[in-house]
Amino acid sequence: MAREAASGKRRGRRRGDGGTRDAIAEAARRLFGGGGYDRVTLRAIAAEAGVDPALVLHYFGSKERLFLSVAGLPVPPQEVLARLAEGDRASAGLRLTRFVLDRLADPRERARITAVVRAAVSEPAAAKLMREQLTLELMLPLAEALGSEDAALRANLAGSQVVGLIMARYVVGIEPLASAPAETVAAAVAPTLQRYLAEPLD
Amino acid sequence: MAREAASGKRRGRRRGDGGTRDAIAEAARRLFGGGGYDRVTLRAIAAEAGVDPALVLHYFGSKERLFLSVAGLPVPPQEVLARLAEGDRASAGLRLTRFVLDRLADPRERARITAVVRAAVSEPAAAKLMREQLTLELMLPLAEALGSEDAALRANLAGSQVVGLIMARYVVGIEPLASAPAETVAAAVAPTLQRYLAEPLD
């Protein structure tokens, strides 16, 4: 992360408008991902990006808008959904768990996802984003594609396990879960998501 | 909640030292439980309690110490543990799920628990408290009492589901999970906790 930060700063200083904007977005992604939303100041983001604080407001307008612009989904949910819903129904939970863990293994995506979860506890715009990205655009259409009844409740339950996993493994960092191999975690969590999305609930 | 707040203020004004201290603690519990840790100021807690801000510092020293004093467990973990570990091993997950939902049905306990989860994303002292209260003092000894191998990882997995449930149902409030009857939620979540704590993991 330190090396990325340094190269981000260099890019920010050397490039033109697009480079500066990108450097600010990259700095925001790192800082929001690593700490509480309310503690990340525009001044700290500017310092991390190596630019004048006025430029952050110039490009993004406000902290909330900067947050929302870096917290958007990088891949259209339809593409993700198609991949997860296709194939054997009995292994949908495993596909979903592996998809989530793969995304979190990528440092940039991990920063984006932990930023949304961290911010959701205090910032209503982030809580709304979490509901949309996790439940409405992913879990709910997946539960529906699998033909499950009570799709809305099932989507919420699956979302609760995923959010809890992000909290425990990446935000709070509880050991040994935080350092466990992804395949160990996938094997443990997949049956939970499978049951929530596609099997009898009680 | 509004009526409780008003009566809390009256108590704070009318009583002596102990009453003032209690009124501050009660106000802190409500405010930390309802919003992000970093947004709750000592000034706001003083206003909610109807006392001078200087008294908050006088009684509690700092925001962090005030937080820790209201976020402690109200019941010794040994008593809780004994109740959960005793009885049929196959229904330990259901006992744990009902215990968690019962605690969250009590407004005072819900405020305490959501305060810990909300604060854990930004405040290391709260993250430590979450690890201790949820994992080290509850889930881990329970997994051990049930005679499960890999008790530490199992405790983390069970903790992740419980934290995710608190986030989804009480902190972010995702519907229909937030309004679902406790027994519906218990029936859905109990098999997850049962498996994490006491059944084969893969």
Side-chain angles (χ1 to χ4, degrees):
Chain A
M1 285 302 256
R3 208 165 57 188
E4 279 178 41
S7 79
K9 281 180 196 171
R10 278 199 300 277
R11 276 204 306 278
R13 287 201 189 96
R14 287 179 187 169
R15 289 186 189 175
D17 269 19
T20 303
R21 200 182 192 283
D22 288 352
I24 294 168
E26 199 58 45
R29 204 171 278 117
R30 279 193 299 273
L31 295 188
F32 284 130
Y37 176 85
D38 295 324
R39 291 191 188 185
V40 178
T41 61
L42 292 182
R43 184 172 296 274
I45 292 168
E48 174 84 3
V51 304
D52 190 276
L55 283 177
V56 180
L57 284 178
H58 168 73
Y59 283 111
F60 293 94
S62 70
K63 178 170 154 181
E64 186 185 321
R65 273 193 271 166
L66 171 54
F67 173 82
L68 291 175
S69 85
V70 300
L73 288 172
V75 180
Q78 295 84 343
E79 289 178 27
V80 172
L81 192 63
R83 255 194 296 156
L84 295 175
E86 275 167 23
D88 182 21
R89 189 175 186 273
S91 57
L94 184 58
R95 285 197 296 281
L96 174 61
T97 310
R98 283 190 174 142
F99 166 75
V100 167
L101 289 168
D102 276 355
R103 297 295 282 269
L104 285 156
D106 172 41
R108 209 158 186 270
E109 262 294 86
R110 183 167 61 242
R112 187 188 70 76
I113 294 166
T114 55
V116 173
V117 173
R118 281 178 190 278
V121 306
S122 62
E123 176 51 50
K128 182 165 175 279
L129 200 69
M130 190 175 119
R131 279 194 298 270
E132 289 171 355
Q133 291 185 350
L134 190 63
T135 305
L136 297 180
E137 298 179 2
L138 181 62
M139 299 295 184
L140 181 59
L142 182 56
E144 285 170 345
L146 295 170
S148 307
E149 287 189 11
D150 299 320
L153 180 63
R154 288 170 176 280
N156 286 183
L157 289 164
S160 81
Q161 173 60 87
V162 169
V163 167
L165 181 65
I166 295 165
M167 282 285 286
R169 184 166 158 96
Y170 305 96
V171 173
V172 176
I174 299 181
E175 295 293 357
L177 181 59
S179 306
E183 269 311 301
T184 303
V185 179
V189 171
T192 300
L193 296 185
Q194 176 67 24
R195 191 173 141 269
Y196 287 159
L197 290 175
E199 312 295 335
L201 276 184
D202 49 14
Chain B
M1 285 302 257
R3 211 166 54 186
E4 280 179 38
S7 79
K9 280 180 198 172
R10 278 198 300 275
R11 275 204 305 276
R13 287 201 190 96
R14 285 177 189 170
R15 289 188 187 174
D17 268 19
T20 303
R21 199 182 192 284
D22 289 352
I24 294 168
E26 199 59 46
R29 204 171 276 120
R30 279 194 299 272
L31 294 188
F32 283 131
Y37 176 85
D38 294 325
R39 291 191 188 185
V40 178
T41 61
L42 291 184
R43 185 172 295 276
I45 292 168
E48 174 83 2
V51 304
D52 190 274
L55 283 177
V56 180
L57 283 179
H58 169 73
Y59 283 111
F60 294 95
S62 71
K63 178 170 155 182
E64 186 185 321
R65 274 193 270 166
L66 171 54
F67 174 82
L68 291 174
S69 84
V70 300
L73 289 173
V75 180
Q78 295 84 342
E79 290 177 27
V80 172
L81 193 63
R83 256 194 296 156
L84 295 174
E86 274 166 24
D88 182 22
R89 188 173 186 274
S91 58
L94 184 58
R95 285 197 297 280
L96 174 61
T97 310
R98 283 188 175 143
F99 166 75
V100 168
L101 290 168
D102 276 356
R103 298 294 283 268
L104 285 157
D106 171 40
R108 207 158 187 271
E109 262 295 89
R110 183 166 62 242
R112 187 189 69 77
I113 293 166
T114 55
V116 174
V117 173
R118 282 178 190 277
V121 306
S122 62
E123 176 52 50
K128 183 166 175 278
L129 201 69
M130 189 174 119
R131 278 194 298 270
E132 289 172 354
Q133 291 185 349
L134 191 63
T135 305
L136 297 179
E137 298 179 3
L138 182 62
M139 300 295 184
L140 181 59
L142 182 56
E144 285 170 346
L146 294 170
S148 307
E149 287 189 11
D150 299 320
L153 181 63
R154 288 170 177 281
N156 287 184
L157 289 164
S160 81
Q161 174 59 90
V162 169
V163 168
L165 182 64
I166 295 165
M167 282 286 287
R169 185 166 157 96
Y170 305 95
V171 174
V172 175
I174 299 181
E175 295 293 355
L177 181 58
S179 305
E183 268 311 301
T184 303
V185 179
V189 171
T192 300
L193 296 185
Q194 176 67 26
R195 192 175 140 268
Y196 286 159
L197 289 175
E199 311 295 334
L201 276 185
D202 51 12

